[in-house]
Amino acid sequence: MAACKRLVVACFFLVLLLAEANAQGLKVGFYRKTCPHAEGIVKKVVFAAMKKAPTLGAPLLRMFFHDCFVRGCDGSVLLDSSNNQAEKNAVPNLSLRGFDILDDSKAALEKVCPGIVSCSDILALVARDAMVALEGPTWEVETGRRDGRVSNINEVNLPSPFDNITKLITDFRTKGLNEKDLVILSGGHTIGMGHCPLMSNRLYNFTGRGDSDPSLDSEYATSLRKKCKPTDTTTALEMDPGSFKTFDVSYFKLVAKRRGLFQSDAALLDNSKTRAHVLEQARGSTFFHDFGVSMVKMGRTGVLTGRAGEIRKMCRVPN
């Protein structure tokens, strides 16, 4: 048994070492010589789109997260499938929006620098620029990723709004992310909307006995019940009530008051390390900086570099 455990640990660290080796192919300014205006071109497309539809910020951020957590940050979430069996067809990805922004960015880049900039890098840049357009954090995006050729609906196993803290920590650790990264990246819930089905169990049937989640603030629960009836499948809820269009620390203040919308938000208080990070972010002014650090770290997950993968001509189909 001990030998088996040692083998599992050894394999885990081998995966991390391989990921780190690939990530060494990334760097800020990767296209400085081959396509010097690449980042500016993407930013122009993103800012124009965000001006028309600022609510795209949250889905675009989530798109990058969902890409990196399945097969690594290889742009596989962007691929279409003729039989609806790609990652984007999985239930957690059905609410993603903004794929046309990736298409428009790629088309603009292909006119200037054909075959140079990967779709996976474009997605990393789009996620950053969407936050900047919302007057949120900025960070230097490492580039140099190449695109994957495979996208499989059966490989989509993302952290869930229903997860407990043990599951969340485990899922993040497998991607080389620690407890602080978990808390900081959860802070992305400061923008965007959730929907009633994702939290109705917390209101009406938490343990299967027609009860509510005791970790949910009672006044907040009463307010949510007025908006979400047990059979409601469509009503949208602000992830960060009163501040869902603004990237700020109010999310952490709400979680600290037991007013996180999802079970996974509330779970951040169930571990001493994650709880400490929540309280620190609620008090302090380092969220923007910390968010950028964690986004860069996540952006190194399972990347393809060098001669691995390809540079897609169109982001929705492999070459």
Side-chain angles (χ1 to χ4, degrees):
M1 181 65 72
C4 289
K5 288 183 178 179
R6 286 196 294 271
L7 181 60
V8 170
V9 171
C11 289
F12 172 71
F13 281 106
L14 178 59
V15 169
L16 291 183
L17 286 172
L18 289 172
E20 182 63 27
N22 279 340
Q24 290 176 3
L26 302 180
K27 67 177 182 179
V28 174
F30 181 84
Y31 301 109
R32 190 168 290 134
K33 293 182 179 179
T34 55
C35 190
H37 301 297
E39 294 196 22
I41 291 170
V42 173
K43 182 178 180 180
K44 183 178 180 180
V45 173
V46 173
F47 272 46
M50 290 290 292
K51 187 175 181 180
K52 295 178 182 177
T55 57
L56 281 172
L60 289 171
L61 178 63
R62 198 152 52 90
M63 191 187 295
F64 184 52
F65 178 90
H66 286 203
D67 185 47
C68 290
F69 264 71
V70 181
R71 302 187 71 88
C73 310
D74 68 343
S76 52
V77 75
L78 306 176
L79 289 172
D80 286 341
S81 166
S82 59
N83 59 355
N84 295 324
Q85 292 297 303
E87 289 175 28
K88 62 169 59 172
N89 303 116
V91 172
N93 289 332
L94 293 179
S95 60
L96 295 180
R97 295 184 294 126
F99 290 101
D100 55 323
I101 295 177
L102 278 296
D103 297 334
D104 292 345
S105 296
K106 181 61 173 173
L109 287 165
E110 286 297 298
K111 290 179 180 178
V112 180
C113 313
I116 298 296
V117 183
S118 69
C119 294
S120 48
D121 275 344
I122 294 171
L123 180 52
L125 292 168
V126 165
R128 188 269 311 275
D129 292 341
M131 297 306 97
V132 175
L134 291 174
E135 298 183 355
T138 187
W139 59 92
E140 289 192 311
V141 175
E142 294 178 339
T143 45
R145 299 170 190 79
R146 289 171 65 85
D147 299 322
R149 300 184 178 94
V150 177
S151 185
N152 188 338
I153 191 173
N154 296 317
E155 294 182 349
V156 177
N157 183 22
L158 295 161
S160 161
F162 308 108
D163 284 346
N164 61 34
I165 192 61
T166 301
K167 176 71 161 53
L168 289 168
I169 289 174
T170 299
D171 285 350
F172 274 67
R173 280 181 177 170
T174 61
K175 306 302 178 185
L177 302 169
N178 60 28
E179 288 87 348
K180 182 174 182 179
D181 298 314
L182 165 60
V183 171
I184 296 302
L185 293 173
S186 295
H189 288 172
T190 185
I191 54 173
M193 309 289 286
H195 290 83
C196 290
L198 295 177
M199 61 99 51
S200 61
N201 68 310
R202 296 191 75 198
L203 297 176
Y204 298 108
N205 198 28
F206 188 64
T207 64
R209 300 177 181 177
D211 56 349
S212 60
D213 183 353
S215 71
L216 186 62
D217 176 77
S218 58
E219 290 185 9
Y220 185 42
T222 299
S223 172
L224 288 172
R225 285 191 198 96
K226 293 178 181 177
K227 299 175 182 177
C228 288
K229 301 306 177 184
T231 57
D232 190 335
T233 60
T234 57
T235 299
L237 301 166
E238 296 177 6
M239 298 283 291
D240 187 353
S243 181
F244 76 103
K245 294 182 179 180
T246 308
F247 204 104
D248 55 27
V249 300
S250 62
Y251 164 82
F252 297 108
K253 294 179 179 179
L254 290 171
V255 171
K257 294 177 180 178
R258 300 188 299 118
R259 293 193 170 201
L261 186 64
F262 295 150
Q263 194 172 333
S264 58
D265 297 319
L268 299 177
L269 298 178
D270 295 338
N271 171 277
S272 59
K273 289 184 179 179
T274 55
R275 179 185 178 88
H277 287 305
V278 168
L279 298 178
E280 178 185 10
Q281 292 299 324
R283 290 192 304 265
S285 58
T286 63
F287 179 38
F288 278 27
H289 171 267
D290 292 341
F291 191 80
V293 171
S294 290
M295 286 293 287
V296 169
K297 194 172 176 183
M298 183 181 73
R300 297 169 178 165
T301 304
V303 295
L304 302 173
T305 58
R307 296 188 177 183
E310 65 184 15
I311 305 297
R312 286 183 216 144
K313 296 175 183 177
M314 297 177 63
C315 290
R316 293 176 184 261
V317 292
N319 294 342

